[in-house]
Amino acid sequence: MNIGVLSLQGAFLKHMHLLKTIGVNPVNVRYSDDLSNLHGLIIPGGESTVLSKLIMKQSLYEPLEKYISKYPVYGTCAGLILLSKTIENNKLVRSFEKLDISIKRNAWGRQINSFISNLKIKEFDKTFKGIFIRAPKINKVSLNVDILSSINNSPVMVRQGNLLGTTFHPELSNDIRIHKYFLSMVESC
Ligand code: GLN
């Protein structure tokens, strides 16, 4: 199975590594041609303003938008910001407006307020160590979005059909379960 990882900026190497350990062929995505022959795509965390700029520079906005409308895509942190329908405090990011949530960037505070939380996730037996780095907050979700995990009623993992999003970085937790969950979405697509 080929899973693409958008490799313009941010935490893409860790995702590639984790995918390899679970028997998937990870593919760097930097140009529109890289999107052919993929079964799914991960948009990693990083800095959404920079990612957005690079997406425009590489003429990737339209090809990615088409891809996201059709195939399974998982966005972590900045990647989730790019998938969100509404970004509340936004001037610089052009999102794909696909996942029906409203999100606020850097809403848990600055880098120094980054934190770890043991999350209860729907369908997982044991808690998951969620690593939050200048994470966004999901403030609204529409009825067709499934909330898979929350902290104090604030959703941190959501799914809408083929789209999965976490406001934290599972690729840093040494835990393969969320990537495996995404693979199961890809397999059933
Ligand atoms: N704060 C970053 C942003 O707004 C996201 C941080 C991350 O991806 N860890 O894009």
Side-chain angles (χ1 to χ4, degrees), residues 45-48 77-78 81 105-106 133-134 169:
E47 178 56 46
S48 54
C77 207
I81 294 171
R105 295 181 53 220
N106 304 326
I133 305 169
R134 280 198 311 129
H169 284 259

Side-chain angles (χ1 to χ4, degrees), residues 4 9 11 26 37 43 46 66 76 96-97 100 103 106 111 125 138 147 151 155 167 187:
Q9 190 261 344
N37 303 321
I43 306 183
K66 274 194 196 134
T76 58
F96 296 105
E97 301 179 11
D100 213 347
I103 203 163
N106 304 326
Q111 187 86 3
D125 298 342
I138 299 171
I147 298 171
I151 298 178
T167 61
E187 273 157 9

